Amino acid sequence: MTDGIARRLEVAVELAREAGAIAQGMRATLGPVETKNPIDFCTAADHAVEEMLRARLTTAFGDSMIGEEDGGEDSDSVWVVDPIDGTANYIHGGPRWCISLAYLRAGRVELGVIHQPGEDRLFTARRGHGAFLNGKRLDVSHLSHGAAPLVEVGWSARRSLASYGAFLGRLTEAAYEFRRHGSGALGLADVAAGLNDAYVELHINAWDVLAGLILVQEAGGVTNDFLAGNGLAQGNLVLAATPEIGTSLAAMLGTSLLPRQERRDPAGGGPA
């Protein structure tokens, strides 16, 4: 079983790179852009990448797959995939978009891979084996920068503008800085890399966050229990943070944190 997880990580890295090349190659001719809601879009590249990943993963392992665009069925061995997270950035020609793959066994996230082609960043994490960026071990910030905490706050039309504004107000009262950059997966990856101190979104879907959550956990951060209350199918609030501010953010949001897991050094290093 352990070897099976390791092999899935190897394949996920290969496919994330291939998916990034497909998406980059299709960028010049986007084709029709589907508007799912005022801030959520889909392109032909989203469909092409998801179709490739589904075919390759199911053939390689016999696993099921849930994708953002075409759905899928849950099982005891399932991939949860966002073919392009940050599609608005992708459409507008910016670099802040990525491919996100998470693998779950028996309802627990075992590995995550996030590839940002525009910045040549490949994030990988495997439960109990650490989190890495281009092969270098990651650690959350622990507020070592000495500045005000920096929180990226995603926006979802599934929660009211008033609730979003109220949370921003609480951050401001606590003297926290906040940003929004349009990709939940990369916002979480940046927490793992110590570039943000936290990522929060009042409602987000599983394909946007599962890979990023295991990155944060394996980099020593704290998260809420995103999968609680059928989060896999229905989405949920997400909170991921360096431990020093996790409790205060959880109190602002009215949520609780998962117990911190023991961190173990990997045998060897991370994937290159």
Side-chain angles (χ1 to χ4, degrees), residues 96 114 116 121-124 131-134 136-145 185-198 212 214-221 240-242 263:
R96 198 162 177 84
I114 294 174
Q116 184 188 10
R121 296 201 300 171
L122 179 71
F123 295 89
T124 60
F132 299 85
L133 169 55
N134 294 342
K136 181 180 179 180
R137 180 75 180 253
L138 294 178
D139 199 4
V140 294
S141 74
H142 298 291
L143 302 186
S144 61
H145 46 70
L186 288 176
L188 289 162
D190 282 348
V191 176
L195 302 175
N196 284 340
D197 300 311
I214 193 169
L215 278 164
V216 173
Q217 293 162 4
E218 289 295 319
T242 191
R263 297 184 69 194

Side-chain angles (χ1 to χ4, degrees), residues 97-267:
W97 57 275
C98 66
I99 290 88
S100 178
L101 302 93
Y103 173 69
L104 287 73
R105 183 178 292 279
R108 187 173 81 160
V109 182
E110 296 291 345
L111 65 87
V113 174
I114 294 174
H115 177 41
Q116 184 188 10
E119 299 289 345
D120 192 26
R121 296 201 300 171
L122 179 71
F123 295 89
T124 60
R126 179 182 168 194
R127 183 169 298 281
H129 289 255
F132 299 85
L133 169 55
N134 294 342
K136 181 180 179 180
R137 180 75 180 253
L138 294 178
D139 199 4
V140 294
S141 74
H142 298 291
L143 302 186
S144 61
H145 46 70
L150 175 59
V151 182
E152 183 169 350
V153 186
W155 157 247
S156 169
R158 291 177 292 275
R159 294 294 181 264
S160 70
L161 184 59
S163 61
Y164 183 76
F167 178 64
L168 296 184
R170 290 192 289 274
L171 288 178
T172 303
E173 290 170 356
Y176 286 16
E177 291 283 347
F178 56 86
R179 302 285 188 275
R180 177 174 179 264
H181 293 305
S183 168
L186 288 176
L188 289 162
D190 282 348
V191 176
L195 302 175
N196 284 340
D197 300 311
Y199 184 86
V200 171
E201 191 159 338
L202 301 184
H203 187 278
I204 195 167
N205 290 312
W207 43 76
D208 296 309
V209 299
L210 293 186
L213 287 170
I214 193 169
L215 278 164
V216 173
Q217 293 162 4
E218 289 295 319
V222 294
T223 72
N224 69 322
D225 185 2
F226 178 83
L227 291 173
N230 202 19
L232 179 61
Q234 297 179 0
N236 219 333
L237 177 148
V238 67
L239 163 61
T242 191
E244 292 76 11
I245 59 171
T247 301
S248 64
L249 286 171
M252 291 183 202
L253 294 161
T255 189
S256 57
L257 299 172
L258 286 171
R260 291 182 67 187
Q261 65 184 46
E262 179 185 355
R263 297 184 69 194
R264 298 189 296 275
D265 290 329

Side-chain angles (χ1 to χ4, degrees), residues 35-140:
T35 302
K36 296 188 284 187
N37 67 51
I39 61 168
D40 197 1
F41 308 94
C42 179
T43 69
D46 291 83
H47 287 293
V49 168
E50 185 167 320
E51 182 178 353
M52 181 276 286
L53 293 172
R54 189 183 306 275
R56 298 280 288 280
L57 289 169
T58 55
T59 298
F61 303 112
D63 302 326
S64 59
M65 191 185 107
I66 299 170
E68 177 178 8
E69 309 307 337
D70 300 312
E73 297 296 327
D74 189 14
S75 74
D76 281 345
S77 185
V78 59
W79 294 86
V80 180
V81 169
D82 194 337
I84 299 178
D85 186 55
T87 303
N89 294 331
Y90 174 82
I91 292 168
H92 286 280
R96 198 162 177 84
W97 57 275
C98 66
I99 290 88
S100 178
L101 302 93
Y103 173 69
L104 287 73
R105 183 178 292 279
R108 187 173 81 160
V109 182
E110 296 291 345
L111 65 87
V113 174
I114 294 174
H115 177 41
Q116 184 188 10
E119 299 289 345
D120 192 26
R121 296 201 300 171
L122 179 71
F123 295 89
T124 60
R126 179 182 168 194
R127 183 169 298 281
H129 289 255
F132 299 85
L133 169 55
N134 294 342
K136 181 180 179 180
R137 180 75 180 253
L138 294 178
D139 199 4
V140 294

